Amino acid sequence: MSFVTRFAPSPTGYLHLGHAFSALTAFDAAQAAGGRFVLRIEDIDQGRVRPEFDAAILEDLAWLGLRWEEPVRRQSKHMAEYEAALSGLVERQLVYRCFLTRKEIAEAIASAPHGETEEAFRGEALAPADEAARLAAGEAFAWRLSLKKARAALGSAYFSLVFEDETGLVRAAPEQHGDVVLARKDFGTSYHLASVLDDALQGVTHVIRGEDLREAAHLHVLLQKLLELPQPVYRHHRLIVGEDGKRLAKRDQAATLRSLREAGRTPAEVRAMVGL
Ligand code: GLU
């Protein structure tokens, strides 16, 4: 069986020990399986990414001893592909325009009977006349996946949607996500859409990533089904925590691979620090 896995960082900060653990876990798994390891730079959010972080990712991973296939896939260079996939969903009426502002969503959530979140918000398409008026007024909108329409489109296949992760076979429950945004107002795609498409385009057979993204798999397998993409196997790993017991974040400067390298730590020591 072929084995292709990936590491997909966002260049919005320097890589820290948590990233090192994730990248090494995926890389080691590819080596052990005699498989391939690919790299993807998730840089669709041009308001947050910075070129120096992109360059630092490559440098830090190489220092750690990782090797990957060229070319590295940079999402910002493939916006047309995400747009094309979105257009297909628009044509099939599986997505709808959402003109709501964050404030309006927050208000709607506050008055919702069940604990909805901004991501899991469920809205609905506007009446055509209202929508046309807003479009004519140049109002910005996001595209949201309509769970209701997705369910109707897939019929019984929706209810038999399963995927494999480290716990075994899991029944997908995409409804926990609500109507997710597939194309943001500001940059026309989203992490979910771009990531799912790229995993397929890069031939990824095993998605290895942190358990903070465990729930995302439920949505991703639904998107794969709707877009007729192959479904990879999922493997979620533990998260690396700092001395305060909290998950490492980009603000934890001391744990960046740069600062560890500058402090004279070796790649072998970094491996040991994350328990590998
Ligand atoms: N760019 C995402 C992150 O840095 C990766 C998500 C994924 O592995 O699917 O968290």
Side-chain angles (χ1 to χ4, degrees), residues 17 63 65 89-90 111 132 134 148 162 167 191 207 209 219 225 229 233 275:
L17 281 175
W63 173 74
L89 296 174
V90 173
S111 60
R134 284 168 179 255
K148 205 163 66 183
V162 288
T167 64
Y191 155 65
V207 170
R209 62 188 177 193
L219 168 69
K225 191 83 185 166
L229 303 173
V233 168

Side-chain angles (χ1 to χ4, degrees), residues 6-12 19 22 40-43 75 191 195-196 199 207-210 212-213 216 220 234 247 250:
R6 45 66 152 189
F7 179 55
S10 302
T12 54
H19 297 111
S22 199
R40 174 164 84 234
I41 304 291
E42 300 207 326
D43 58 353
Q75 292 189 321
Y191 155 65
S195 174
V196 159
D199 281 335
V207 170
I208 300 174
R209 62 188 177 193
D212 53 326
L213 288 166
H220 292 181
Y234 289 87
R247 186 185 154 201
K250 294 210 161 116

Side-chain angles (χ1 to χ4, degrees), residues 10-11 41-49 74-79 82 182 184 186-195 198:
S10 302
I41 304 291
E42 300 207 326
D43 58 353
I44 49 177
D45 190 347
Q46 287 289 312
R48 290 181 61 221
V49 307
R74 282 194 176 70
Q75 292 189 321
S76 59
K77 304 271 184 292
H78 297 273
M79 299 304 269
Y82 312 135
L182 293 191
R184 280 177 40 165
D186 47 352
F187 53 76
T189 185
S190 69
Y191 155 65
H192 297 300
L193 182 63
S195 174
D198 281 351

